[in-house]
Every structure is written in structure tokens, then in C-alpha cells.
Amino acid sequence: MNGLLLLDKPDGITSAEAVRRVKVRVGRHVKVGHLGTLDPFATGLLPLCLGEATKIAQFLNVADKAYTGVIQLGAATDTGDRTGSVTEQGVVAPFDAAALATVAAQWTGEFLQSPPMYSAVKRDGVPLYKLARLGLEVERTPRPVRIDALALHAETSLRLGFTVACSKGTYIRVLAEEVGRALGAPAHLLELRRTEFGRFSIERAVKLDAWTPDGEAGLVAIGAALAHLPSVALDAVAAQGARQGKAEVLRHLPAPGIEAELLLLDPDGCVAAVMVRAGANWRYGRVLAATQALHSRTAVLATSG
């Protein structure tokens, strides 16, 4: 079984647990991995790579994302979300739609954002969340992020609904805290739902409990998952050479332009290899097997677990 599976992850399980449950259904012979981790309390679009698609994760993980959610005003937590312990409480001053629009504009564009302590970012090889659980807080290097669109609206006097479109690596928990700070109040992230991951939207996703490996729901072929990249069609001989990583294939490719990756397609339209730019030349990024079928005849059809 090969391709991208667009899952609608439920609240209460880790992304790793979602992978485990899918692996039970497809069988141990099929590799499964996820893109763009969602916290256990978060829901929404979680793309999983199946089989040969695990080889293309690096070309999909850089995608922009979009979310909806709720910010709770009046209290901050140590994790920045509802799962943590309250560390600060404060009065929330009245605000109106104009004030929210001003705050949203303030956090739209490119800026530096410091990762939260409860994150997988490593310090001297140790994930920050492990240090945080020991009660330690260390300096974090701010990272460039980009928010393309942010809209805020009042649900109550203490809760803000939001939609946001952002770059990879943007921490929405940190954004929630910053929005609260701009309004003069402590805040944390109460709800989060991912609605878009690159070219894919939640409308195409399938509920985890409803998915079975013999169905079509939520599945995307490898070629379709990489359709945003430029491509070159090869004849059968060249495609076989590409799958073997032969250097002679590179001599017949166009010189790299502004693009960073290039697909090599076999006569059936399947991806033989993904090339990456290396200066003025191409080099092999990943090579893929000729068999890229969405379904496997040996898939396990059990839906429990």
C-alpha cells in the first residue's frame, strides 16, 4: 500500500498513536509515518505516508498550514495550552472588533518566534519538553516564521475564536499567548484544529475510526501528492536508470532554474525519482520503486485497535 492518507485526527491521542492504529490495519509489512505532528488535544488534518510515500516526507513537511481554534483569555499555563497548569491569572479588559483587528494585523507577516519550553526542539541534544518537566527553563533561539492571514473574533468576553494561515514551524500556542499579551491579559490555547496542510484540506480527510485500507477515502497517490513540483517524463529505459540512481540520467535533464526539486516520471506517470538542486546541477534526492499501488491485497481489514 503506497500513498498519502489524509486523516482527521480526533482529540485525545498522539500523532504516534494515530500511526499505530493505521499500521494495525495495513499490516506490519507497510511502513507508516506522519507529517506535521499534532498535539494530543488538537484535531484535524494529519497526513500519513504509507509505503513508498515515506520516502517523500521531506518534500511535503515544508508545506504551509492553516488552523482554526479558540484562545482562552485570563489565564496562562506552563504548556501554553489547556493541558498545562495555570501559572498566571489576570483581569481581561474590554475589547472590541477594532482592537482585535489591530492585534491580528500586528501578528501578520514575517517575524521571529521563540519556541515554547514544551516543544520537541532540542537543547544540547535534549528535547526542551524534558527540561520543562524538570522545572527548568533555558534560553531559546528565535526562529523566523510567517503568518499570511490571522482573523480574530470574540466568542465571549474571555474567549477568542481564530483562523490562521502560517508557515511551517509556527507555534500556535505561542501565538495565542502573544495575542493575549497584546490585549493586556494572560492567555493560552484552548482548542486547535488543523484545516489545511499544503495543497490538502480537511474536507478530503477521513475520520480515523472510519478508515479501512480497502477504501478510497482519504487516499492520495504519490504522484498527486507531489503534483506541485515540476516534472520531466522519461522513457522506460531512463526511468529504470533513475530508479537505480544512475548518473547518466542526469545528463539529459534541463538545467535547474528557480525550482529546488524536480520529479522524474516513468511512462505510466509514476514517480521514478525526486531530484534536488545542487548548485548548477541536479542530484538524486529519493528514488522510488516502480510499484506504487494505493492498495495492497495483503492489507489487514481489521478496524479495531
Side-chain angles (χ1 to χ4, degrees), residues 125-139:
V126 180
L128 291 180
Y129 68 83
K130 290 189 176 182
L131 298 177
R133 288 171 181 170
L134 295 174
L136 302 176
E137 182 165 352
V138 298
E139 184 177 350

Side-chain angles (χ1 to χ4, degrees), residues 146-171:
R146 187 188 75 255
I147 292 182
D148 296 320
L150 173 62
L152 302 167
H153 66 274
E155 292 193 344
T156 70
S157 61
L158 295 178
R159 291 185 180 181
L160 301 177
F162 69 87
T163 60
V164 61
C166 58
S167 65
K168 172 187 179 295
T170 304
Y171 285 96

Side-chain angles (χ1 to χ4, degrees), residues 74-78 84-89 188:
T77 69
D78 54 2
S85 301
V86 174
T87 58
E88 180 186 359
Q89 292 181 304
H188 64 272

Side-chain angles (χ1 to χ4, degrees), residues 198-254:
R199 299 167 51 246
F200 306 109
S201 67
I202 191 64
E203 287 75 21
R204 296 190 62 183
V206 61
K207 298 286 187 181
L208 176 58
D209 289 342
W211 184 74
T212 58
D214 57 337
E216 297 291 336
L219 288 173
V220 180
I222 291 175
L226 294 172
H228 60 289
L229 299 179
S231 62
V232 171
L234 305 177
D235 60 29
V237 174
Q240 180 63 19
R243 289 195 164 101
Q244 295 172 349
K246 291 186 175 180
E248 63 189 59
V249 177
L250 278 61
R251 293 195 291 268
H252 303 289
L253 301 181

Side-chain angles (χ1 to χ4, degrees), residues 27-268:
R28 295 182 179 179
H29 62 288
V30 179
K31 293 181 179 180
V32 183
H34 65 78
L35 303 175
T37 303
L38 282 174
D39 289 330
F41 80 94
T43 67
L45 185 55
L46 180 67
L48 269 57
C49 295
L50 309 178
E52 282 293 285
T54 56
K55 296 179 180 179
I56 65 170
Q58 68 193 85
F59 307 109
L60 300 173
N61 250 336
V62 296
D64 292 344
K65 301 172 181 66
Y67 301 87
T68 63
V70 176
I71 299 170
Q72 177 72 51
L73 301 174
T77 69
D78 54 2
T79 61
D81 59 48
R82 74 174 191 229
T83 67
S85 301
V86 174
T87 58
E88 180 186 359
Q89 292 181 304
V91 176
V92 180
F95 55 85
D96 56 18
L100 294 182
T102 298
V103 172
Q106 177 182 346
W107 293 105
T108 303
E110 297 182 357
F111 54 90
L112 296 177
Q113 185 186 68
S114 295
M117 279 301 300
Y118 279 89
S119 68
V121 175
K122 293 183 178 180
R123 174 71 177 269
D124 298 327
V126 180
L128 291 180
Y129 68 83
K130 290 189 176 182
L131 298 177
R133 288 171 181 170
L134 295 174
L136 302 176
E137 182 165 352
V138 298
E139 184 177 350
R140 285 91 74 195
T141 302
R143 298 181 173 191
V145 299
R146 187 188 75 255
I147 292 182
D148 296 320
L150 173 62
L152 302 167
H153 66 274
E155 292 193 344
T156 70
S157 61
L158 295 178
R159 291 185 180 181
L160 301 177
F162 69 87
T163 60
V164 61
C166 58
S167 65
K168 172 187 179 295
T170 304
Y171 285 96
I172 309 302
R173 285 177 288 150
V174 175
L175 176 63
E177 294 173 327
E178 296 289 0
V179 166
R181 196 169 293 120
L183 291 171
H188 64 272
L189 187 60
L190 185 65
E191 298 176 10
L192 184 65
R193 181 167 176 78
R194 186 190 285 154
T195 57
E196 295 181 18
F197 191 110
R199 299 167 51 246
F200 306 109
S201 67
I202 191 64
E203 287 75 21
R204 296 190 62 183
V206 61
K207 298 286 187 181
L208 176 58
D209 289 342
W211 184 74
T212 58
D214 57 337
E216 297 291 336
L219 288 173
V220 180
I222 291 175
L226 294 172
H228 60 289
L229 299 179
S231 62
V232 171
L234 305 177
D235 60 29
V237 174
Q240 180 63 19
R243 289 195 164 101
Q244 295 172 349
K246 291 186 175 180
E248 63 189 59
V249 177
L250 278 61
R251 293 195 291 268
H252 303 289
L253 301 181
I258 61 172
E259 61 275 355
E261 293 96 20
L262 178 71
L263 301 183
L264 302 187
L265 305 179
D266 66 18
D268 294 325

